[in-house]
Amino acid sequence: MSTFQQLVAPVWGSLALSAVCAALPLLVLFVLLGVFRVKAAKAALTSLLLSIVLAVTIWQMPLGQTLSAAAAGAFYGLFPILWILVNALWVYKLTVATPWFDALGRTIRSISNDLRILSILIAFCFGALLESLAGFGAPVAITAAMLMAAGMKPFKSAIVSLLANTAPVAFGAMAAPIIALHGVTGLPLHDLSSMAGRQTPFIALLVPLLLVFIVDGRRGLKQTWPVALVAGAVFGITQFVTSNYFAVELTDVVAAVATVAAVLLMLRIWQPREIIGMSGEAEKTEEQLIAAGRQSVERRHGAGGSRVPASASVTEAVSAAATSSVGTAVSDAKRPEPRHVWMAVAPYLIIMAIFSIAQIPVIKDWLSTVGSVSFPWPGLDVVDADGNHIAAQKFKFDHLKATGTLLLISGLITMALYRVPAAQGLRIYGETVKQLRWTIITVTAVLALSFVMNLSGQTTSLGLALASAGGFFAILSPVIGWLGVALTGSDTSSNSLFGQLQVTAAEQTGLPPVLMAAANSSAGVMGKMLSLQNLAVASAAVGLEGSEGTLFRKLLGWSLGLLAVMTLLVLLQSTPVLGWMIP
């Protein structure tokens, strides 16, 4: 097998024309998805075929190596990416198949009758917990339905759930987007996770404040900003600490659990001045009800004396006042017994325990020694224009310490704890694979497309052309990530498509490659709320099919605003002002 050397400007020696040709597979993908609304799997396969044709005919990559590159990408899509997604979703579906998932929902709903508080607990905290495992629209569908059950109007439930599904996405599905970014760029996983963990917390700090504003406007922001600020700060700080110093795979799990605990503790010592329930109007707090009861007693005393003891009259009045507000209050959810609460959160605690054990140095070293195999991908021998071998040709197969394997072990322990029969667990696993069948095709096709573009030199040509923007690329980089997620609906897919492009452009402009690669993921999450897939899921979940366009218009401003914040942060991190934040 002869060595293939990449060509930088194969189209008549013009880098501009070569970049246009290199962009064709991506343009076709976006047009098929955004204009013609073709299914993601078909659009990805079409773009992959076009990329293969361009690699062979224009970039002159041998057909055998081109097909081998596509196979390498598809394999990486299956392992570790889809190995993570399938097992994560399986663990989630195991909980749904038992009464414990309902117990978890009742526990959350029993904490408060205030829809602003519930928007933080359900959409932000519980949604992040679901994103850490399920992802791919499941958090939006479930939290929107739960908010409706709590009394929020359907359209507002959809908006709140979509907006909340931003902060956790970069580390969603057990950090699948960051792992995919590591796979296509070759940059150290820890550096990428650390960098993303120094960007996303700023968005996490803002999201709860935006949620309470959407639910109740300025009054909501004025009355509930303390708990919103605590939720955002705890989530962001925990994201930073976990992604930088613990395990990137557990970032969202730990952040969500810590935030729920912080909110619960705060609600013990602080409550909003008013309760906002189903009608969106202020309801009386317990203190206000008692005061109203005392006034009623005093009026009755003045009108002719007390016919019952004062204490009983107060209780009666409070009861009557509370009863009169039932029409506008959220229906009470009885909090499960402590044992039921522990059983409901058990799968997440098991996952945290398994991943923590895997991080113990002795066990980590053993897993790396016994359960890790490195090998060059067969049929590939590619060097760049300078004669250096491309890193993407070498694979590391971590079959024992892989995130998906640890999730599989967690699922088996969950089955034993929940006493799920082996036959039922196997059936649920089969249903999970069937549910993800189109996702499996899409992810493998997108990763195959990414590897063909990267190894043939198409990404290099496109990246070098974008590098002509110079320092302006620090502003352009987050926008690329945002567009990628908005059109593909997946931060993992966007990172696979544009990760290497970001690195190439960064190297040519003198910008830090880790910063630009992480920016693709961190900024991309703001496009998640605008993706057709997520909009369709939210519309269906609240029974408003066909309202995707209205949701898009309502969310566009919020998405662009958060993107502007992230772009400013990335720009400052590319300068000495915040350059110290880069690992």
Side-chain angles (χ1 to χ4, degrees), residues 459-529:
T459 300
T460 301
S461 299
L462 189 56
L464 290 174
L466 289 173
S468 61
F472 182 74
F473 186 73
I475 297 176
L476 188 61
S477 173
V479 177
I480 292 173
W482 178 81
L483 282 172
V485 177
L487 290 167
T488 66
S490 167
D491 201 35
T492 301
S493 297
S494 178
N495 286 347
S496 301
L497 286 174
F498 297 130
Q500 185 58 41
L501 181 150
Q502 298 270 18
V503 170
T504 301
E507 291 173 343
Q508 294 299 314
T509 55
L511 294 168
V514 169
L515 172 62
M516 297 298 101
N520 192 84
S521 188
S522 300
V525 303
M526 266 62 83
K528 189 75 178 284
M529 68 181 82

Side-chain angles (χ1 to χ4, degrees), residues 266-286:
M266 182 168 184
L267 291 177
R268 286 180 174 271
I269 60 174
W270 175 92
Q271 289 288 336
R273 190 175 65 185
E274 297 175 317
I275 302 297
I276 303 302
M278 283 188 186
S279 66
E281 298 178 354
E283 300 168 11
K284 290 182 174 61
T285 62
E286 184 178 354

Side-chain angles (χ1 to χ4, degrees), residues 275-518:
I275 302 297
I276 303 302
M278 283 188 186
S279 66
E281 298 178 354
E283 300 168 11
K284 290 182 174 61
T285 62
E286 184 178 354
E287 291 78 7
Q288 291 171 324
L289 290 173
I290 292 174
R294 286 174 176 163
Q295 291 174 0
S296 175
V297 171
E298 291 171 358
R299 285 195 299 269
R300 290 170 64 180
H301 281 184
S306 175
R307 289 168 296 196
V308 293
S311 59
S313 299
V314 171
T315 304
E316 176 186 305
V318 170
S319 176
T323 302
S324 68
S325 65
V326 166
T328 59
V330 178
S331 57
D332 291 333
K334 185 178 180 181
R335 184 173 300 182
E337 300 174 6
R339 174 181 172 274
H340 292 177
V341 174
W342 283 109
M343 288 292 287
V345 301
Y348 307 102
L349 298 178
I350 290 171
I351 289 173
M352 292 174 67
I354 292 296
F355 277 84
S356 298
I357 292 171
Q359 294 301 314
I360 297 174
V362 175
I363 297 177
K364 186 176 182 179
D365 292 341
W366 180 81
L367 290 174
S368 299
T369 303
V370 177
S372 182
V373 178
S374 298
F375 61 94
W377 187 261
L380 284 177
D381 186 7
V382 182
V383 296
D384 61 20
D386 296 325
N388 302 312
H389 274 82
I390 305 297
Q393 300 172 89
K394 189 174 183 179
F395 272 73
K396 190 175 183 181
F397 190 63
D398 295 322
H399 51 284
L400 286 184
K401 71 172 186 177
T403 302
T405 303
L406 298 179
L407 284 170
L408 179 63
I409 296 172
S410 302
L412 294 174
I413 297 174
T414 300
M415 281 180 58
L417 179 66
Y418 284 173
R419 297 181 181 179
V420 177
Q424 184 183 4
L426 187 61
R427 177 179 57 79
I428 294 174
Y429 200 97
E431 292 173 355
T432 303
V433 174
K434 183 179 179 182
Q435 178 183 337
L436 290 175
R437 62 190 184 279
W438 289 111
T439 300
I440 291 172
I441 295 174
T442 301
V443 171
T444 52
V446 166
L447 264 298
L449 167 63
S450 172
F451 270 62
V452 170
M453 291 188 65
N454 291 345
L455 290 170
S456 67
Q458 296 172 52
T459 300
T460 301
S461 299
L462 189 56
L464 290 174
L466 289 173
S468 61
F472 182 74
F473 186 73
I475 297 176
L476 188 61
S477 173
V479 177
I480 292 173
W482 178 81
L483 282 172
V485 177
L487 290 167
T488 66
S490 167
D491 201 35
T492 301
S493 297
S494 178
N495 286 347
S496 301
L497 286 174
F498 297 130
Q500 185 58 41
L501 181 150
Q502 298 270 18
V503 170
T504 301
E507 291 173 343
Q508 294 299 314
T509 55
L511 294 168
V514 169
L515 172 62
M516 297 298 101

